[in-house]
Amino acid sequence: MKLLVATSKTQGARENDFNDCVEGELIWIAPSCSDGEASPDSECGCGRSFGGLNSHGGTTTALVADLPGFSYSDYAAALRSSLAAQGWPPEGAYEVATGLLAFTSGWEVGAVLERRRNWFAERLVPAPPG
Ligand SMILES: [Zn+2]
């Protein structure tokens, strides 16, 4: 299935990029605080970032990845334990999983995405040299 994972690809394309996630870890689109709602370039960065399910860090770049063998219930379980660990209501995991899958289905595998509050765009990945 197609899922969002953390990537360092295209980091630095924006001056305020950051990546505190582990490369390849599952991420989700967490609700923003009021600062993040007001501006994606807020100090906290929550309006321009994706949240790591394991590291609980954030990254401004997300990769659409195909993870064969990973099921919807695996995904919901991963979300449930992560949401619980971060103080979000774990019973929201299925709704979050469904929403993320619907979101990800609209993008090609390999696309690197950035977030501007509730707006998302693909970043062009430069071809490797040579
Ligand atoms: Zn914030």
Side-chain angles (χ1 to χ4, degrees):
M1 63 197 302
K2 273 200 287 186
L3 297 171
L4 291 179
V5 299
T7 183
S8 57
K9 284 182 185 172
T10 75
Q11 278 284 317
R14 282 189 191 269
E15 231 168 58
N16 58 10
D17 267 344
F18 60 89
N19 180 11
D20 301 320
C21 289
V22 177
E23 189 76 8
E25 77 169 302
L26 293 172
I27 52 181
W28 72 304
I29 302 166
S32 301
C33 72
S34 54
D35 287 353
E37 278 297 326
S39 167
D41 296 313
S42 67
E43 188 80 17
C44 62
C46 65
R48 64 177 180 278
S49 62
F50 305 83
L53 293 193
N54 288 316
S55 66
H56 304 170
T59 178
T60 50
T61 45
L63 176 70
V64 179
D66 184 29
L67 301 183
F70 205 83
S71 72
Y72 177 79
S73 58
D74 292 337
Y75 195 33
L79 278 163
R80 189 167 52 239
S81 61
S82 180
L83 292 180
Q86 296 181 80
W88 296 97
E91 58 272 18
Y94 282 95
E95 196 183 323
V96 172
T98 302
L100 283 167
L101 288 174
F103 172 81
T104 310
S105 71
W107 301 94
E108 296 286 329
V109 170
V112 176
L113 307 181
E114 65 173 13
R115 175 183 185 186
R116 309 294 289 167
R117 295 170 52 219
N118 297 321
W119 183 82
F120 299 85
E122 182 172 355
R123 285 188 177 182
L124 294 181
V125 181

